[in-house]
């Protein structure tokens, strides 16, 4: 019988300023406490607020870039999706320590012997932020809405393609029946919404979800305005304990330069997405702490392979010459990714191979640059184009197969200075192989719109992904092509390959981890060889915060991880006002005798749960 089970009942344990989860002197907690101890990640059992959220300060984060929507059925851009992570939970979620699967809305789950029926058990006392009971009916309604309503498939439709039914036999049980066994846990990645709110809507696809919202996560959206930003309030009913801050405010800025200035003056408390120059400049600021986290995103140069809509009809205005795979491969060979990482990112990152970054070693394609068949080699690129019949004219610009000068457009985001910097390198590199390039930096929303409907030749793109690569791979399927107006499914690169589809389906159902990892790597190689998405690098996540105001941020993963844009809410949820720590230190009693090496340990009788938490960690106290 295939069996996976967690059984965790959280208790409220007052603890001021809980810091990052670390290992105890190089050993795991189980090793320290002895065999048979069950060690629970502190963020599977959350820490309640010290005092009440109403008296605590609000954490202000810089908001850079556009929000596509705060409707969780539709949100696909990182900015909006990251904010929604604080409001909605999944049946299971990814833990802070190492992106491991931990309880979410469900606190235990198991599978049938053939792997096609997953049963989740919910606690009986969970509440939504408005005080209404959170039950299995909410989960079933959410999943069935995605399965049955085409307009609600945009963000997560690909995740339910293998579903036969989702039912709630009682208030605390959810049963998901699949058409065939699948490797990813079907309870991950889909945010669950309250049926009593969304089920009463005439058209959930048009619901903005921008004011007085209801959720089950640590914070809920109270207001959103494009000019004023997003306000979230602490959820007093969050089952893992109310946050130590009263809420979150996302303050919009046009670019990171303005956001950094706001951080220095105290208008905001945390800024992410820093450029290397900004990151290095902030290192010397006495009231600011910087964090270089292992990135879960890739940065790539996408090339339009001839976009088609869901009916197989041409989509957008991409240059038809790019439908030739040889031309796309030559472009890849003309771009020096190592130079871009060194000069544009100041080396703060890792050279790219496939789409899964190094932070997820199970599925990362680990290959040296010299092993890549499309590695930088302008001489080889020129020979490829010569052999393919792209003849150069007197000005050095080649002609396409129709005799027209080979001229391509390169699009980037005006809010990201690295896009213009990379374009300044790439333009002469492509000129060296006979391709003329014009560049245009546009607003993020316009880049999103144009790329969705195929109105581009090349553009800088990037995706952040979760620990399981299934979703990221799924949006490369032929079935993920959008409708003619850009609605419907989401496609990563406007690309379609039957060979890739076979690999995707094979990895999706493969339960042997070693075999599945190899299939995922093969699928990444298929994208790489098609030269539709040249992964340049996995940039380090560069962020900075006001350490004179807040501390205790939990990173994900716990070693060298990120604070913002996590696979879960842990980073900002764990924020602790420095004032709260100062107050607690003045009034707290002497440490209990079972506090060893900074870890608070509660040991119960055999079979009991051991709770291990790390003390507050300042910026200079990282291990």
């Amino acid at each position: 019988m295939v069996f996976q089970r967690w059984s965790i009942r959280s208790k409220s344990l007052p603890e001021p300023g809980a810091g990052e989860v670390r290992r105890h002197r190089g050993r795991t907690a189980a090793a320290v406490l002895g065999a048979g101890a069950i060690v629970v990640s502190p963020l599977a059992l959350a820490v309640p607020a010290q005092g009440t959220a109403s008296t605590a300060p609000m954490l202000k984060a810089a908001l850079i870039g556009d929000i596509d929507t705060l409707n969780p059925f539709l949100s696909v851009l990182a900015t909006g999706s990251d904010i929604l992570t604080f409001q909605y939970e999944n049946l299971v979620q990814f833990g802070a320590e190492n992106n491991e699967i931990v309880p979410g809305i469900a606190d235990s789950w198991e599978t049938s012997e053939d792997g096609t029926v997953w049963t989740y058990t919910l606690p009986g006392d969970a509440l939504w932020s408005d005080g209404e009971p959170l039950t299995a009916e909410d989960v079933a309604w959410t999943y069935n809405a995605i399965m049955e309503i085409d307009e609600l498939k945009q963000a997560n439709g690909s995740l339910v393609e293998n579903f036969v039914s989702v039912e709630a036999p009682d208030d605390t049980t959810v049963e998901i029946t699949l058409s065939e066994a699948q490797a990813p846990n079907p309870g991950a990645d889909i945010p669950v919404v309250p049926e009593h709110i969304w089920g009463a809507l005439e058209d959930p696809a048009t619901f903005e979800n921008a004011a007085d919202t209801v959720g089950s996560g640590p914070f809920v959206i109270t207001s959103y305005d494009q000019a004023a930003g997003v306000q979230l309030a602490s959820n007093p009913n969050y089952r893992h304990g109310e946050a130590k801050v009263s809420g979150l405010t996302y303050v919009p800025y046009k670019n990171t330069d303005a956001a950094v200035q706001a951080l220095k003056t105290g208008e905001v408390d945390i800024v992410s997405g820093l450029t290397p120059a900004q990151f290095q400049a902030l290192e010397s600021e006495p009231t600011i702490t910087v964090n270089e986290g292992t990135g879960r995103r890739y940065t790539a140069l996408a090339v339009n392979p001839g976009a088609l809509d869901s009916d197989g009809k041409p989509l957008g205005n991409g240059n038809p010459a790019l439908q030739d795979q040889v031309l796309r491969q030559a472009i890849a060979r003309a771009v020096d990714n190592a130079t871009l990482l060194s000069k544009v990112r100041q080396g703060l990152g890792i050279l790219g191979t496939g789409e899964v970054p190094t932070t997820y070693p199970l599925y990362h394609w680990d290959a040296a640059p010299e092993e890549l068949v499309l590695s930088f080699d302008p001489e080889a690129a020129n020979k490829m184009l010569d052999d393919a019949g792209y003849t150069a004219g007197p000005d050095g610009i080649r002609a396409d197969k129709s005799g027209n000068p080979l001229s391509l457009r390169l699009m980037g985001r005006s809010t990201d200075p690295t896009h213009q910097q990379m374009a300044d390198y790439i333009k002469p590199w492509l000129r060296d192989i006979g391709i003329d390039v014009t560049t245009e930096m546009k607003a993020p929303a316009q880049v999103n719109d144009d790329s969705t409907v195929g109105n581009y030749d090349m553009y800088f793109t990037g995706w952040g992904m979760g620990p399981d690569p299934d979703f990221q791979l799924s949006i490369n399927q032929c079935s993920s092509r959008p409708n003619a107006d850009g609605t419907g499914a989401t496609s990563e690169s406007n690309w379609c390959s039957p060979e890739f589809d076979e690999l995707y389906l094979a990895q999706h159902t493969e339960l042997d981890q070693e075999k599945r990892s190899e299939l995922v790597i093969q699928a990444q190689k298929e994208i790489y060889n098609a030269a539709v998405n040249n992964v340049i690098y996995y940039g380090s996540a560069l962020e900075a915060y006001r350490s004179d105001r807040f501390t205790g941020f939990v990173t994900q993963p716990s070693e060298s991880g990120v604070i913002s844009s996590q696979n879960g809410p842990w980073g900002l949820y764990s924020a602790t006002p420095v004032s709260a720590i100062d107050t607690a230190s003045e009034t707290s009693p002497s440490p209990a005798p079972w506090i060893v090496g900074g870890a608070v340990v509660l040991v119960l009788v055999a079979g009991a749960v051991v709770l291990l938490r790390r003390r507050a960690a300042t910026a200079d106290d990282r291990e």
Side-chain angles (χ1 to χ4, degrees), residues 299-313:
T299 293
L301 177 66
V303 181
N304 191 333
L308 302 175
D309 65 19
S310 56
D311 294 324
K313 297 178 180 178

Side-chain angles (χ1 to χ4, degrees), residues 371-595:
E371 298 173 2
L372 301 175
V373 297
L374 299 180
S375 59
F376 177 61
D377 190 338
E379 183 178 343
N382 270 309
K383 185 176 187 308
M384 290 171 67
L385 296 177
D386 288 340
D387 294 345
Y390 292 94
T391 305
D395 58 356
I397 299 301
R398 297 177 184 272
D400 63 21
K401 299 298 179 64
S402 299
N404 301 312
L406 199 49
S407 181
L408 303 176
R409 301 161 294 163
L410 174 57
M411 178 172 66
R413 286 176 166 79
S414 58
T415 55
D416 190 335
T418 65
H419 286 188
Q420 183 62 63
Q421 293 169 31
M422 289 191 292
D424 290 342
Y425 281 98
I426 290 174
K427 185 173 181 177
W429 288 340
L430 294 189
R431 177 84 185 195
D432 288 344
I433 65 168
I435 300 175
D436 181 53
V437 175
T438 58
T439 62
E440 184 175 9
M441 300 295 121
K442 301 180 179 180
Q446 189 62 53
V447 173
N448 180 54
D449 291 344
D450 286 346
S451 60
T452 298
V453 297
N455 286 336
Y456 69 95
D457 295 331
M458 303 179 293
Y459 82 106
F460 295 115
T461 184
W463 284 80
M465 65 186 70
D468 193 295
D470 192 80
F471 173 77
Q472 197 67 32
L473 295 178
S474 75
I475 58 176
N476 285 283
Q477 295 179 95
C478 296
S479 60
S480 275
R481 293 176 294 188
N483 299 325
D485 61 357
T487 61
T490 298
S491 178
E492 183 183 66
S493 300
N494 293 296
W495 175 65
C496 170
S497 164
E499 292 79 14
F500 173 87
D501 283 5
E502 289 183 13
L503 286 169
Y504 167 76
L505 293 173
Q507 70 79 34
H508 184 73
T509 58
E510 180 55 67
L511 302 181
D512 182 282
Q513 183 60 67
E514 186 175 349
K515 293 179 180 178
R516 185 183 182 218
S517 294
E518 181 55 37
L519 287 168
V520 169
I521 291 172
Q522 288 181 33
Q524 293 177 78
K525 290 179 179 179
E526 195 74 21
I527 298 172
Y528 174 85
N529 290 327
V532 294
N533 204 35
N534 175 16
V535 177
I536 301 170
Y537 51 67
Y538 317 112
S540 298
L542 307 178
E543 48 198 352
Y545 62 92
R546 291 292 302 237
S547 47
D548 60 334
R549 294 181 178 178
F550 294 95
T551 187
F553 293 103
V554 168
T555 57
Q556 186 191 48
S558 59
E559 298 293 336
S560 304
V562 297
I563 297 171
S564 304
S565 300
Q566 296 183 351
N567 300 307
W570 321 126
L572 301 191
Y573 165 59
S574 60
T576 303
V578 170
S579 58
I581 294 178
D582 293 341
T583 301
S585 64
E586 294 174 2
T587 60
S588 59
S590 300
W594 54 83
I595 297 180

